[in-house]
Amino acid sequence: MTGRPPLRLLAVLLVLALGGCARETVPTGEALYRRHCASCHGISGRGDGPAAGSLTPRPTDLTTLRMSVQELMQVIDGRAAVQAHGSSAMPVWGEVFEQVHLDGDHAKRIALLTVEALAEYTARLNPNNAPPPARE
């Protein structure tokens, strides 16, 4: 042993020294989906969640939805109207996620990453959608 701290320890200390990075983590897409979407769209995404029966229009069956992650991000974010999809009865999740982190240093960035994680998971609910490209 050389007396130097392990590289992993240095990495953890660097992250902690940078401040908000360690505090502001984005949950997984699946966790976000289960928390914010499953009550309407159902766990499997078929539009059969426990709240679906009381909604008009009925929630979309996400297992048949053919959209790119970018298109899904626009729909989930909800702040810009997506012409091809008509009006949306869904909450404007972009604003919701931004408000959750409003006191943080990077609220807009965290909201965007949250919407992206949710869109990537939602895209995978349709087995015919291609998986998103791997990040470098």
Side-chain angles (χ1 to χ4, degrees):
M1 186 133 192
T2 64
R4 294 186 321 205
L7 193 53
R8 177 179 260 171
L9 176 60
L10 289 174
V12 169
L13 291 174
L14 177 62
V15 167
L16 292 173
L18 291 175
C21 296
R23 289 176 289 150
E24 302 283 359
T25 59
V26 175
T28 66
E30 181 177 8
L32 289 163
Y33 179 86
R34 287 178 179 269
R35 181 172 182 189
H36 299 289
C37 310
S39 61
C40 297
H41 293 282
I43 293 293
S44 65
R46 297 193 185 284
D48 59 354
S54 63
L55 299 174
T56 303
R58 300 268 307 177
T60 301
D61 180 345
L62 302 173
T63 65
T64 62
L65 198 60
R66 303 262 318 165
M67 297 176 84
S68 69
V69 170
Q70 184 177 2
E71 291 169 319
L72 283 167
M73 286 178 69
Q74 289 179 314
V75 172
I76 293 167
D77 182 85
R79 290 182 270 199
V82 180
Q83 292 289 334
H85 304 103
S87 65
S88 175
M90 204 168 68
V92 180
W93 289 113
E95 286 180 0
V96 172
F97 296 143
E98 198 171 305
Q99 290 298 315
V100 167
H101 299 286
L102 198 56
D103 293 335
D105 295 331
H106 308 286
K108 289 181 189 288
R109 174 86 170 131
I110 294 167
L112 177 65
L113 291 171
T114 302
V115 168
E116 180 182 37
L118 189 50
E120 287 176 352
Y121 179 79
T122 302
R124 290 194 309 268
L125 292 174
N126 180 342
N128 296 317
N129 274 343
R135 292 189 179 165
E136 295 179 25

